[in-house]
Amino acid sequence: RRRLSRQRVRGRLETREERASAIGRDDPHPLVALCILSLSGGDPASARAELAPWASRALAEVSGSAWMQATDAGRELDALVRARSSEAVALPDEILGEFVAFGDALACSSMVDRLVEAGADRVVIVPNPAGIRSTDAMLEQIRRAAPALAT
């Protein structure tokens, strides 16, 4: 599967910077990626189950967009969304895993590494997308993620 490469991301940023320069803007434009996550202390299936309904709906809403169509995973997502029999059907793990991190802290760390390798200057961890967790549960997600991301 061909992911959005660092070279391709940088090329798009250079194009953006050229356009900005043409209108007199020269401020830097760092690439910030979001890492939506659901971590489990020892049960990756429960982490996936917690995040899958929300993530499936959120990804379905953006599946046809130009920026999602820029990768093989995005095009595969679009085809699956179009083929689903119902909006209530969660997307398969293979697709969800291309866009969100679920499981243990290592899964989160691997997703952050992928985003950095693709060219992200910063990665923002999103432990409570759309308020699906209580504040205490969100803080627990941050506690679980912190050790894996500290390296």
Side-chain angles (χ1 to χ4, degrees):
R1 181 177 302 189
R2 185 178 68 99
R3 294 193 176 119
L4 194 55
S5 71
R6 182 176 190 83
Q7 180 181 6
R8 191 165 178 190
V9 169
R10 289 293 165 208
R12 289 184 178 189
L13 284 176
E14 287 171 9
T15 300
R16 183 255 175 223
E17 289 167 2
E18 289 170 6
R19 290 180 181 161
S21 180
I23 60 169
R25 295 198 55 187
D26 61 358
D27 51 314
H29 186 79
L31 178 60
V32 178
L34 300 179
C35 180
I36 296 168
L37 63 92
S38 181
L39 298 178
S40 168
D43 182 13
S46 68
R48 182 217 180 273
E50 181 180 41
L51 187 60
W54 176 85
S56 293
R57 284 189 308 275
L59 289 168
E61 288 177 14
V62 298
S63 66
S65 64
W67 57 274
M68 287 297 280
Q69 295 291 317
T71 66
D72 291 340
R75 288 186 292 278
E76 187 176 345
L77 167 67
D78 189 46
L80 282 170
V81 166
R82 291 174 189 270
R84 285 192 309 182
S85 59
S86 163
E87 288 184 17
V89 174
L91 295 167
D93 286 359
E94 302 79 39
I95 290 296
L96 288 175
E98 289 293 321
F99 301 99
V100 298
F102 57 87
D104 59 13
L106 181 59
C108 175
S109 180
S110 295
M111 174 63 83
V112 170
D113 289 345
R114 283 180 40 207
L115 294 169
V116 170
E117 288 170 11
D121 296 306
R122 295 183 194 114
V123 177
V124 175
I125 303 299
V126 183
N128 194 22
I132 65 173
R133 293 188 183 95
S134 68
T135 301
D136 288 341
M138 177 187 66
L139 292 172
E140 181 59 29
Q141 292 287 298
I142 294 168
R143 283 187 206 97
R144 287 182 183 159
L149 300 175
T151 59

